[in-house]
Amino acid sequence: LKLQFLYFIGRKMPVDCSCEISEFGCSVTAGGLFAAGWWWFADGVLIAQKEGTDFGFEMAIPGILVTLGLVCVNMLRPEDIRDDGMGGTDEVNKAKTFFFIAWMLIFGGLIAAIWICIADFGGSSTTRTTTYPGVAIIMQTIVITLASVIFWMGRGSQNSATFG
């Protein structure tokens, strides 16, 4: 990834201040976000146990879906789904279908996290005293989704043979 910034100082020519974001930096950032997401989930589990309320396996399903989507999205390189025309080759169509299914896993996990937070941690019928575990599930899925995007976008096409 290359970011370029152009600054105009008075009437002088623009100065090119460019910085290179490496694949290593993107992968470290994505890995940190992924770890932070699961750490957030573990914190929500501990808070729920401290409160003495039930925190079953169904609470982990959104995180598992988003993690599976992260793995599936990053099985493909950005150039694997690029196509210049309509239709394209059979391999490109299969890659696009797989990419679409991977994003449906991610969005399904996000929707499930919001649903769980509202159904189990919100409203007047709940016996829970804190909504933090539900918010932790939502934050986990959001952070892992961001990690997926950063990791996928950070994979450059120049050195993609060494990365994936």
Side-chain angles (χ1 to χ4, degrees):
L1 262 159
K2 188 168 185 176
L3 303 175
Q4 288 189 340
F5 303 98
L6 298 177
Y7 295 100
F8 292 95
I9 304 172
R11 294 187 176 258
K12 296 181 181 179
M13 294 297 293
V15 178
D16 183 18
C17 300
S18 61
C19 63
E20 186 86 16
I21 299 175
S22 67
E23 290 178 356
F24 177 75
C26 287
S27 64
V28 167
T29 303
L33 286 172
F34 178 77
W38 278 104
W39 190 296
W40 221 322
F41 176 76
D43 190 42
V45 170
L46 292 174
I47 295 293
Q49 286 179 351
K50 183 179 175 184
E51 184 184 86
T53 59
D54 184 36
F55 201 86
F57 176 73
E58 67 275 0
M59 305 294 181
I61 291 175
I64 292 169
L65 286 175
V66 173
T67 299
L68 189 62
L70 177 140
V71 171
C72 290
V73 162
N74 287 293
M75 285 178 156
L76 300 171
R77 294 172 300 187
E79 57 267 9
D80 290 342
I81 61 168
R82 289 198 186 111
D83 188 15
D84 292 338
M86 294 294 284
T89 63
D90 194 36
E91 292 83 22
V92 173
N93 289 335
K94 287 178 183 177
K96 286 180 180 182
T97 303
F98 187 76
F99 192 70
F100 178 76
I101 292 169
W103 277 104
M104 290 303 102
L105 283 172
I106 290 173
F107 288 124
L110 286 167
I111 292 167
I114 293 168
W115 187 321
I116 287 172
C117 184
I118 291 171
D120 288 349
F121 296 94
S124 60
S125 63
T126 185
T127 59
R128 300 179 189 268
T129 58
T130 181
T131 59
Y132 176 73
V135 172
I137 294 170
I138 292 174
M139 293 308 296
Q140 173 202 23
T141 57
I142 289 172
V143 167
I144 293 175
T145 301
L146 288 175
S148 178
V149 170
I150 289 171
F151 190 60
W152 189 74
M153 296 294 283
R155 297 172 69 181
S157 56
Q158 302 92 327
N159 299 326
S160 61
T162 62
F163 206 84

